[in-house]
């Protein structure tokens, strides 16, 4: 399984044709205390770059964009009950949604972990 | 991921062109603050996190740097009556060391700023450092510079230069305005604030809510009021800027006190139902629309001698077209400044001027201007935000009770 990052601080884990999407540790630290998350429903068609989810911290609301195109399989219901999972475990239990990738070649334009770490360092 | 808005962006409308460091700038960074631009300065938005800082202030005591605010001293012949030409409060009737919340009014009654005015003690040296209030500043034709008294006024940071321009234009030449640019301003707020500060500034616990006096910390003159912007008990302390770092360090040796950023300051004042200038108040809003009728003193209402008096008193008698109310929003998703209040046809009939998640209540709250018919507590209204409709209930403010220590309660 490999993990890719966007410049907008989403990550996607790819396992075969299924991607799991969340926001990075850096993004959650910038957002601060997350109080609400809205995730997409199964069946929703997403094009790379579409607004896929909403995350609200005490201070601001932000969009989460889909890093790849595909069809949503599942939103993370755990975030509805406990949105603070995004703060405590952004890159694992705090995932937002899973989707089936319609165009895996889109991954070529994303950063790997090392490249993303360098990117964040430069911010 | 991208931000729609934040309190940082919202402040941009009122930012001065130059970004300046405040006296505690390096101190905040050393404490781990995340700094943002606010009111023309770099200010700490948060240290450990807004929720934790908010809760700490409600349970213990928080230290806020509010040195961006404008500290002004007005003196000269007839100063109280001069101030009453631009403020609707009873300024002449303020006793020494007593303070009052007031509103700087445009000639049409719109609100240019909100402020705190305190009458300084007569027959005492200035409580501020000598360099700030130079004898030369007084009119030599008036041998007693404080004839008629002098007033210490704290105004918002984002509006302070516009306020001074307006005041120079509208106050008589007999009144001198000193801008205390070399004074820092710190607030310590929370149920344990006053007892903690009293350990290093003896006597400060003798103040009651909305009174102020001159004290010393390590031989440094400080001017302290029992007041604040969180709904909690606490003090606001004006201190010469070159002593601000040492004083902030001394405050942090008190285990009750932690530094708190602007983020929690905003959520605390929102829960306390206190309006924020530039958001909940602006020149289009009158004191009655803002539900700040308490700032119109009885004597001034009867005399109808403040700017916009006819309009404001008519609104007071017959009701304003729209009024500031508190809202509790259903669900978990915050409704924020700029969201629209809609009627059952979807037409816009009001707007949110502040909104966010209330850490103490554990739910989203907001302030909005709504038509008077919808302003009664218990009224259910609908809010449109980014294509979604939220339901909210009009709620009496403050959202959580104030815990001020008033005279007679001690």
């Amino acid at each position: 399984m490999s993990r890719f990052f966007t410049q907008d601080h989403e990550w996607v884990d790819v396992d075969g044709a299924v991607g799991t999407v969340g926001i990075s540790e850096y993004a959650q630290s910038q957002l601060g205390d997350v109080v609400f998350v809205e995730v997409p429903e199964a069946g929703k068609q997403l094009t790379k770059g579409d607004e896929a989810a909403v995350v609200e911290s005490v201070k601001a609301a932000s969009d989460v964009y889909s890093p790849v195109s595909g069809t949503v399989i599942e939103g993370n219901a755990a975030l509805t009950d406990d949105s603070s999972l995004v703060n405590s475990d952004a890159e694992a239990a705090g995932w937002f949604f899973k989707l089936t990738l319609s165009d895996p070649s889109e991954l070529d334009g994303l950063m790997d972990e090392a490249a993303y770490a360098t990117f964040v360092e430069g911010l | 991921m991208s931000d729609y808005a934040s309190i940082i962006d919202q402040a941009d409308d009122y930012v001065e062109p130059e970004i300046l460091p405040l006296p505690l700038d390096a101190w905040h960074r050393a404490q781990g603050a995340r700094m943002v631009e606010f009111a023309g300065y770099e200010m700490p938005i948060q240290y450990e996190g807004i929720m934790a800082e908010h809760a700490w202030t409600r349970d213990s005591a928080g230290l806020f740097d509010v040195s961006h605010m404008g500290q002004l001293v007005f003196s000269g012949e007839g100063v109280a009556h001069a101030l009453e030409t631009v403020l609707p409060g009873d300024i002449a009737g303020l006793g020494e060391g007593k303070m009052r919340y007031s509103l700087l009014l445009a000639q049409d009654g719109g609100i240019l700023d909100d402020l705190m005015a305190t009458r300084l003690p007569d027959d005492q040296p200035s409580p501020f450092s000598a360099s700030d209030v130079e004898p030369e500043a007084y009119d030599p034709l008036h041998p007693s510079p404080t004839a008629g008294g002098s007033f210490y006024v704290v105004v918002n940071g984002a509006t302070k230069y516009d306020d001074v321009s307006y005041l120079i234009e509208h106050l008589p030449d007999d009144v001198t305005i000193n801008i205390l640019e070399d004074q820092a301003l710190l607030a310590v707020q929370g149920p344990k604030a006053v007892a903690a500060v009293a350990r290093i500034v003896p006597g400060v616990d003798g103040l009651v809510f909305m009174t102020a006096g001159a004290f010393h910390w390590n031989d440094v003159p400080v001017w302290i009021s029992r007041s604040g912007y969180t709904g909690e008990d606490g003090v606001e302390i004006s201190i010469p800027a070159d002593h601000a770092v040492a004083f902030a360090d001394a405050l942090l040796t008190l285990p009750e006190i932690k530094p708190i950023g602007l983020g929690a300051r905003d959520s605390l004042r929102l829960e306390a139902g206190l309006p924020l200038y530039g958001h909940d108040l602006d020149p289009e809003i009158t004191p009655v629309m803002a539900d700040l009728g308490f700032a119109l003193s009885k004597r001034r209402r009867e005399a109808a001698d403040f700017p916009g008096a006819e309009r404001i008193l008519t609104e007071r008698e017959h009701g304003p077209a729209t009024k500031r109310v508190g809202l509790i929003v259903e669900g978990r998703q915050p409704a924020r400044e700029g969201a629209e209040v809609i009627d059952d046809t979807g037409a816009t009939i009001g707007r949110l001027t502040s909104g966010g998640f209330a850490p103490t209540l554990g739910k989203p709250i907001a302030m909005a201007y709504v038509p008077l018919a919808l302003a009664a507590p218990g009224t259910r209204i609908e809010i449109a935000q980014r294509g979604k409709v939220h339901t909210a209930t009009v709620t009496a403010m403050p959202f959580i009770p104030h815990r001020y220590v008033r005279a007679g309660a001690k």
Side-chain angles (χ1 to χ4, degrees):
Chain A
M1 192 165 72
S2 16
R3 173 168 292 194
F4 301 89
F5 289 85
T6 71
Q7 294 201 351
D8 295 318
H9 309 287
E10 292 91 9
W11 54 264
V12 53
D13 276 347
V14 182
D15 188 3
V18 174
T20 302
V21 176
I23 67 169
S24 70
E25 178 60 29
Y26 172 82
Q28 77 77 20
S29 75
Q30 290 294 306
L31 280 174
D33 304 298
V34 172
V35 296
F36 175 82
V37 174
E38 183 177 80
V39 294
E41 289 181 6
K44 183 163 185 179
Q45 304 286 323
L46 292 171
T47 301
K48 178 181 166 122
D50 278 356
E51 294 162 11
V54 173
V55 56
E56 302 231 13
S57 69
V58 179
K59 67 182 177 194
S62 304
D63 276 328
V64 177
Y65 303 126
S66 188
V68 287
S69 304
T71 305
V72 175
I73 305 165
E74 181 187 3
N76 186 358
L79 296 186
T80 308
D81 298 329
D82 183 9
S83 56
S84 72
L85 276 175
V86 177
N87 293 121
S88 58
D89 202 3
E91 298 196 13
W95 61 276
F96 278 56
F97 60 95
K98 294 178 192 287
L99 78 177
T100 40
L101 275 62
S102 57
D103 182 5
S105 74
E106 289 172 342
L107 296 169
D108 296 342
L110 302 181
M111 291 176 274
D112 63 14
E113 294 217 56
Y116 179 70
T118 307
F119 171 72
V120 165
E121 202 122 303
L123 294 178
Chain B
M1 209 181 76
S2 80
D3 287 0
Y4 292 105
S6 67
I7 60 171
I8 308 151
D9 296 337
Q10 292 162 13
D12 283 351
D13 298 352
Y14 296 93
V15 155
E16 295 291 327
E18 222 180 331
I19 303 192
L20 301 163
L22 287 169
L24 290 173
D25 190 277
W27 186 90
H28 293 304
R29 294 172 200 272
Q31 300 295 329
R34 182 179 302 166
M35 304 293 280
V36 298
E37 187 186 336
F38 184 82
Y41 299 95
E42 293 259 303
M43 300 277 289
I45 183 97
Q46 67 173 64
Y47 301 84
E48 59 180 310
I50 294 174
M51 296 276 251
E53 292 167 34
H54 182 111
W56 184 267
T57 306
R58 290 265 181 257
D59 294 340
S60 187
L63 168 61
F64 303 77
D65 179 13
V66 288
S67 299
H68 65 299
M69 299 189 82
Q71 299 180 69
L72 311 174
V73 171
F74 296 80
S75 55
E77 186 83 40
V79 61
H81 289 290
L83 286 170
E84 288 192 353
T85 64
V86 289
L87 307 175
D90 182 1
I91 303 301
L94 272 180
E96 293 176 25
K98 299 282 175 53
M99 59 200 291
R100 183 182 287 286
Y101 174 80
S102 196
L103 301 163
L104 182 63
L105 296 180
Q107 298 307 298
D108 68 355
I111 300 173
L112 297 176
D113 205 355
D114 63 342
L115 54 84
M116 285 283 194
T118 311
R119 185 190 285 273
L120 292 170
D122 284 330
D123 306 321
Q124 276 181 33
S126 164
F128 306 102
S129 62
S131 62
D132 288 314
V133 186
E134 295 173 19
E136 291 79 8
Y138 296 124
D139 182 347
L141 295 178
H142 296 89
S144 171
T146 55
S150 58
F151 291 86
Y152 169 67
V153 174
V154 178
V155 301
N156 282 291
T159 45
K160 60 186 176 185
Y161 299 112
D162 288 343
D163 289 357
V164 170
S165 302
Y166 180 79
L167 289 160
I168 287 172
E169 187 184 339
H170 286 90
L171 297 183
D173 293 343
D174 289 345
V175 173
T176 301
I177 308 173
N178 281 284
I179 306 175
L180 305 180
E181 294 194 278
D182 297 323
Q183 291 285 119
L185 189 63
L186 304 179
V188 186
Q189 301 279 297
K192 298 178 183 173
V194 172
V197 175
R199 295 208 300 277
I200 61 168
V201 185
V204 78
D205 45 349
L207 295 171
V208 293
F209 184 58
M210 297 299 271
T211 67
F215 296 85
H216 282 85
W217 170 71
N218 279 358
D219 296 332
V220 177
V222 289
W223 177 257
I224 301 184
S225 62
R226 197 155 186 173
S227 57
Y229 192 49
T230 59
E232 298 295 329
D233 186 21
V235 288
E236 293 173 294
I237 304 158
S238 178
I239 183 168
D242 49 0
H243 294 282
V245 167
F247 185 59
D249 281 338
L251 288 169
L252 283 205
T253 65
L254 305 171
E256 297 94 330
I257 299 178
K258 282 187 183 180
I260 308 295
L262 287 179
R265 181 169 161 84
D266 192 52
S267 54
L268 288 159
R269 70 90 195 169
L270 184 57
E271 285 185 342
L274 302 171
L276 174 59
Y277 195 82
H279 302 266
D280 310 301
L281 307 177
D282 66 40
E284 304 297 313
I285 300 293
T286 65
V288 177
M289 293 165 71
D291 199 20
L292 298 172
F294 74 91
L296 309 169
S297 298
K298 184 160 181 276
R299 174 173 65 78
R300 306 299 311 282
R301 293 198 313 266
E302 287 171 352
D305 61 350
F306 51 87
E310 189 179 335
R311 170 191 183 190
I312 289 169
L313 293 172
T314 301
E315 284 182 349
R316 188 171 182 274
E317 190 171 347
H318 300 290
T322 64
K323 189 178 167 192
R324 182 175 66 98
V325 297
L327 300 174
I328 291 181
V329 181
E330 284 182 12
R332 292 275 300 178
Q333 186 167 22
R336 300 183 191 268
E337 179 175 11
E340 294 174 342
V341 180
I342 56 171
D343 66 13
D344 49 14
T345 71
T348 301
I349 53 170
R351 66 188 172 100
L352 270 63
T353 51
S354 286
F357 192 80
T360 309
L361 295 175
K363 49 179 103 168
I365 59 173
M367 289 181 195
Y369 280 86
V370 300
L372 192 59
L374 300 179
T379 307
R380 287 167 67 82
I381 62 155
E382 291 196 322
I383 297 166
Q385 174 173 260
R386 302 195 300 272
K388 244 168 94 173
V389 175
H390 302 258
T391 302
T393 304
V394 175
T395 305
M397 292 191 286
F399 293 100
I400 66 160
H402 292 159
R403 295 198 282 182
Y404 303 139
V405 176
R406 297 176 189 275
K410 286 169 65 71

